[in-house]
Amino acid sequence: MALLPILHYPDPRLHTRATPVAVVDDQIRQLAHDMAETMYAAPGVGLAASQVNVHVRMVVIDVSDDKSDLRILINPEIIARDGEQECEEGCLSVPGIYDIVKRAERVKVRALDEHGKTFEFEAEGLLAVCVQHEIDHLDGKVFVEYLSQLKQNRIKSKLAKRARITA
């Protein structure tokens, strides 16, 4: 397995719409496991393939405290939404930035597993937020785009300043 480099906002590649995975094969399974290793090392609770500059519709998620509930979602789609919640979100592509985003409280998701089998599950709370956040990445959207233009500009400035300091 390998740690993959994570793209950082406002990298324009984060706005690339991911294409569906045509065949779930060993290459896709390897990517999923590399993504999981990258997510755990970051550390984070979700990672979309788009964030590692591979623009296929796949995400990995694990919201457990002990890293025991890895979910690999290939070609995920939300087939039902219910309710509304506000939750503070962060993102591995926008390090150190957190803000409140409104999302559905509950979602029903359909995806393929790492063997190419279709499955469905219902999610609420943090898992629902994470699923919606990661699917947004596949659609070329970063969570800060839910915020006001003023906040987005402040975040871009803060990240640019941080990049200059560490360069």
Side-chain angles (χ1 to χ4, degrees):
M1 291 201 259
L3 292 178
L4 305 170
I6 297 172
L7 299 177
H8 289 129
Y9 181 80
D11 191 311
R13 294 172 291 180
L14 288 168
H15 294 101
T16 304
R17 189 168 178 83
T19 58
V21 172
V23 178
V24 179
D25 56 15
D26 287 342
Q27 186 176 353
I28 288 294
R29 283 186 280 278
Q30 183 63 52
L31 175 60
H33 292 284
D34 290 347
M35 286 171 55
E37 184 178 350
T38 302
M39 173 187 71
Y40 289 133
V45 296
L47 186 67
S50 300
Q51 291 177 270
V52 294
N53 202 30
V54 179
H55 301 284
V56 297
R57 296 190 74 79
M58 180 167 58
V59 303
V60 294
I61 294 173
D62 188 342
V63 297
S64 69
D65 290 332
D66 61 357
K67 302 178 183 177
S68 64
D69 191 26
L70 177 63
R71 296 169 187 253
I72 297 170
L73 309 179
I74 300 169
N75 297 337
E77 58 181 321
I78 295 172
I79 56 176
R81 299 172 192 266
D82 184 46
E84 184 175 278
Q85 64 178 323
E86 288 187 346
C87 188
E88 184 177 67
E89 293 187 28
C91 181
L92 296 177
S93 290
V94 193
I97 304 296
Y98 302 89
D99 215 316
I100 303 295
V101 177
K102 282 186 186 177
R103 301 231 186 233
E105 186 176 14
R106 288 173 295 285
V107 294
K108 185 172 184 179
V109 180
R110 180 182 299 133
L112 301 176
D113 66 15
E114 66 180 305
H115 305 291
K117 293 193 180 347
T118 301
F119 70 103
E120 294 181 2
F121 67 97
E122 294 183 8
E124 61 183 9
L126 179 57
L127 180 57
V129 168
C130 192
V131 166
Q132 293 169 84
H133 177 111
E134 299 309 330
I135 289 176
D136 273 354
H137 277 298
L138 300 180
D139 293 333
K141 188 168 187 174
V142 180
F143 91 97
V144 296
E145 292 163 21
Y146 286 97
L147 308 177
S148 71
Q149 194 62 50
L150 177 64
K151 282 187 176 184
Q152 289 180 50
N153 290 337
R154 285 183 180 160
I155 290 167
K156 286 177 187 174
S157 295
K158 185 175 186 176
L159 294 175
K161 182 178 179 182
R162 190 183 300 161
R164 284 192 305 272
I165 291 170
T166 59

